[in-house]
Amino acid sequence: MAQAFLATSKLRVVFQVGVGEDGKPLLKAKTFSNIQKLATADQLVQAAQAVVSLSNDTLSSIERVDNSDLLV
């Protein structure tokens, strides 16, 4: 049976920086690497909110990106 081991975690904060000619939102993302693997969702939201407070752009989404190593 295969096993998955969490290798790395990243925090991705997506901003809406405007609206295109077609009416669709223009998005820009900032990714923070080396996030502690044991960080909770609440802790990541707090960190993202701190980053958003320094920006003039509108928050679109907050994402956690986990990569795992698979062993068979």
Side-chain angles (χ1 to χ4, degrees), residues 6-68:
L6 184 59
T8 61
S9 285
K10 297 179 183 180
L11 175 64
R12 186 170 187 251
V13 182
V14 182
F15 297 95
Q16 181 176 341
V17 295
V19 179
E21 293 178 9
D22 57 359
K24 294 182 181 178
L26 298 175
L27 303 176
K28 184 175 183 179
K30 177 67 180 165
T31 303
F32 300 91
S33 301
N34 299 321
I35 300 298
Q36 291 185 2
K37 298 174 194 174
L38 298 178
T40 65
D42 287 334
Q43 291 170 329
L44 294 177
V45 167
Q46 287 177 351
Q49 287 173 338
V51 171
V52 170
S53 71
L54 300 173
S55 174
N56 293 328
D57 298 320
T58 304
L59 177 65
S60 178
S61 66
I62 302 169
E63 303 169 3
R64 179 180 186 145
V65 181
D66 290 332
N67 291 313
S68 297

